[in-house]
Amino acid sequence: HAGVMPSLVLFADRLHVLSQLREDAVNAGFHITAARSIASLLDGEAQALGEVVLVDCPVPDGAALAALTRLDMRSAQSGAQLIVSTARW
C-alpha cells in the first residue's frame, strides 16, 4: 500500500534511548507495535515482530548475544528487516 509505513518493534535496555528511538520513529511515520527491553527476548514465548526490528545494544554481554542470535533467526524466518545499533550515544 502506497504511503503506509512499515510496522516497527524496538528493543533497548537504556530507557532514554528507547524513548528517543520511539519518538524518532513516530515522527518519521512508523507504526510502533512494541517497545521492550532486550532481556524480554529471552523471557518466555516468542514475541511478534514488526516488518522492521530495531535493537539498541551498545555493550552486548552473553545474554544479549543470545537474544540477538534468537532475534536474527526469527527475523530471517519472518522476512523482517533487522537493524542493530552498537553505538554508545
Side-chain angles (χ1 to χ4, degrees):
H1 304 295
V4 176
M5 294 300 287
S7 61
L8 177 67
V9 175
L10 302 169
F11 292 99
D13 286 335
R14 299 180 296 168
L15 293 179
H16 70 283
V17 173
L18 187 60
S19 176
Q20 186 65 55
L21 290 172
R22 184 186 325 206
E23 181 180 330
D24 291 347
V26 167
N27 289 338
F30 282 90
H31 170 67
I32 308 297
T33 57
R36 298 187 275 267
S37 71
I38 294 171
S40 72
L41 290 168
L42 295 174
D43 297 338
E45 299 282 326
Q47 302 165 27
L49 298 179
E51 296 166 88
V52 179
V53 180
L54 178 57
V55 182
D56 170 62
C57 190
V59 185
D61 59 9
L65 290 174
L68 289 173
T69 299
R70 181 177 180 187
L71 189 57
D72 180 54
M73 291 186 301
R74 291 190 56 232
S75 296
Q77 290 172 345
S78 71
Q81 299 298 307
L82 177 61
I83 302 166
V84 178
S85 169
T86 58
R88 295 184 189 195
W89 50 283

